[in-house]
Amino acid sequence: MKAIISGGGTGGHIFPAIAIANAIKARWTDAEILFVGAEGRMEMEKVPAAGYEIKALPIAGLQRRLTLKNLAVPFKMIRSQIKVRKIIGGFNPDIVVGVGGYASAPTLKTAAKMGYSTLLQEQNSYPGLTNKMLASKAKKICVAYDGLERFFPQEKIVFTGNPVRADIEEITATHQEGCNHFGINPDQPVILSVGGSLGARSINEMILANLDYFKQHETQIIWQTGRWMYEQCAAAVKEAGLEDKVKVLQFVSRMDLAYAAADVVFSRAGAIAISELCLVGKPIILIPSPNVSEDHQTKNAMALVNKGAAIMVKDSECKEKGFGILDDLLSNPDKQSSMSHAIKKLGMPKAAEKIVDEIEKLIH
């Protein structure tokens, strides 16, 4: 069994890709798996750390603003297609899986042209341009939301849910163990703030503007800042003398323990974050990123809000309103309980195994 898995750019694409790879390995212990990613992107670090080989393409996306970098994009696409043709031909896979992100476009397009079976994994309630473009040639499209026949051929769609990291699918750690790991008091409420794997400026700025809240309340926070604002946030917390209550981390590597410790979660509304949160079952305040195509994070968030499973705050309003909403939620245990109950109903376990079921059907 030989598989190529392509895509990346953010944790929202990389973690499902690794979950699919692990599920392939669980089914075929001698499987050979090769990842194809984009030069300089997060997958070039995370995939080898997970124990898999990855090849890089010189692909880049169009910048939204006018910049000379955009002139190079068509040339990078052509170079990527030439390079990926050699990679695919040399590896000769049974299946090529695309999870979204820059690298998946040239990889799956070229694989389909070469006559290889391709499978798409679409994480969002509103598909990105890449997957819409690749859908006509894909043999199967694995989705996590209803209503995607508006974008994809209905006969190709399989409802699997989104694959999440195995340690989050079945969290075994207790609240006490989570708190011990982060050095916080298990008897006080714990907030977890995750702005996605790359961080989120507006969520970080919201917390920076409200550090006094942690002086005035018996409340603590595990705060994943991302790379860009980590030093600024850590310095502000040190200056405020809040290092015992505000735990600042560039990246949370043990998300299972962070979720175990948390009572309430602040999060972006990326599809994979939501899929994890549905399995974890904690009350969540979603702050959708405005910097995504077709505002798909707001659509993801509203799918939960409409079922009483989350609260949503607009990105532009979170600095002013976020902590007021948090305070209301912390003082209302019944609401926390009803939100937990509602979100757990939306969890879709074993998604990676279901995707591998579809792969197995395609290669036999």
Side-chain angles (χ1 to χ4, degrees):
M1 164 60 182
K2 297 174 86 172
I4 285 178
I5 302 176
S6 184
T10 66
H13 293 311
I14 297 161
F15 296 129
I18 292 169
I20 294 167
N22 291 342
I24 290 171
K25 275 282 193 191
R27 185 136 339 159
W28 296 279
T29 49
D30 60 346
E32 288 180 49
I33 298 167
L34 177 66
F35 280 76
V36 178
E39 275 175 9
R41 304 292 290 191
M42 192 179 170
E43 58 267 26
M44 301 312 298
E45 177 194 328
K46 298 289 176 197
V47 169
Y52 294 103
E53 185 188 353
I54 186 165
K55 304 264 188 192
L57 301 181
I59 189 81
L62 283 168
Q63 303 286 314
R64 290 176 184 229
R65 61 189 190 282
L66 281 173
T67 166
L68 290 172
K69 282 183 182 173
N70 283 342
L71 295 175
V73 169
F75 300 102
K76 286 186 173 183
M77 186 67 170
I78 293 162
R79 278 173 57 216
S80 294
Q81 285 178 330
I82 293 165
K83 187 172 181 182
V84 84
R85 178 173 279 276
K86 286 182 186 166
I87 292 169
I88 295 166
F91 190 74
N92 192 27
D94 296 294
I95 187 79
V96 181
V97 179
V99 295
Y102 298 144
S104 65
T107 305
L108 271 82
K109 202 173 168 185
T110 304
K113 269 187 186 169
M114 293 171 78
Y116 289 95
S117 291
T118 63
L119 177 142
L120 290 182
Q121 199 267 319
E122 174 52 64
Q123 295 114 26
N124 290 293
S125 57
Y126 197 99
L129 203 58
T130 301
N131 277 0
K132 280 194 225 170
M133 183 183 78
L134 296 168
S136 65
K137 297 282 189 284
K139 291 273 200 294
K140 279 277 182 275
I141 303 163
C142 297
V143 304
Y145 287 90
D146 295 322
L148 286 169
E149 60 280 353
R150 290 178 296 152
F151 310 103
F152 300 137
Q154 188 157 6
E155 68 279 5
K156 295 182 179 184
I157 294 174
V158 187
F159 191 83
T160 58
N162 278 325
V164 303
R165 293 168 274 189
D167 58 341
I168 286 160
E169 190 147 326
E170 289 172 24
I171 293 175
T172 53
T174 63
H175 174 73
Q176 176 85 45
E177 286 166 342
C179 290
N180 288 351
H181 177 80
F182 292 99
I184 49 181
N185 184 344
D187 301 322
Q188 292 179 5
V190 179
I191 315 307
L192 169 64
S193 175
V194 279
S197 52
L198 303 175
R201 177 172 291 279
S202 49
I203 294 178
N204 288 340
E205 287 176 346
M206 170 186 76
I207 297 167
L208 281 173
N210 288 278
L211 284 177
D212 274 358
Y213 183 88
F214 299 98
K215 286 182 178 171
Q216 294 155 9
H217 297 80
E218 295 291 298
T219 305
Q220 307 158 103
I221 187 166
I222 300 163
W223 179 11
Q224 178 178 282
T225 62
R227 191 190 313 164
W228 313 115
M229 289 184 72
Y230 169 73
E231 285 177 13
Q232 179 190 346
C233 297
V237 168
K238 191 174 183 182
E239 195 180 322
L242 284 166
E243 287 159 299
D244 57 331
K245 295 176 82 176
V246 180
K247 300 296 172 178
V248 187
L249 298 146
Q250 185 173 313
F251 184 79
V252 176
S253 53
R254 289 297 304 270
M255 279 304 295
D256 57 326
L257 292 171
Y259 284 136
D263 295 295
V264 174
V265 182
F266 274 126
S267 178
R268 283 298 198 207
I272 299 304
I274 284 182
S275 296
E276 289 187 355
L277 290 161
C278 288
L279 291 169
V280 170
K282 297 286 168 101
I284 55 173
I285 299 168
L286 294 171
I287 304 166
S289 170
N291 309 311
V292 293
S293 60
E294 311 289 351
D295 196 23
H296 69 249
Q297 285 205 6
T298 298
K299 296 179 175 80
N300 292 348
M302 288 309 297
L304 268 65
V305 172
N306 292 336
K307 293 186 169 91
I311 298 168
M312 187 182 91
V313 192
K314 281 186 181 172
D315 185 84
S316 58
E317 297 175 351
C318 71
K319 197 190 268 190
E320 288 73 36
K321 296 184 178 177
F323 270 73
I325 289 164
L326 170 69
D327 200 44
D328 287 346
L329 186 56
L330 287 175
S331 60
N332 191 338
D334 289 345
K335 183 156 192 187
Q336 289 178 51
S337 178
S338 75
M339 284 173 71
S340 284
H341 187 68
I343 198 168
K344 269 188 176 164
K345 284 185 186 169
L346 304 176
M348 288 181 282
K350 309 284 179 218
E353 286 90 335
K354 289 172 193 166
I355 291 166
V356 175
D357 290 341
E358 295 308 315
I359 290 172
E360 191 163 8
K361 287 175 200 168
L362 287 176
I363 66 173
H364 284 139

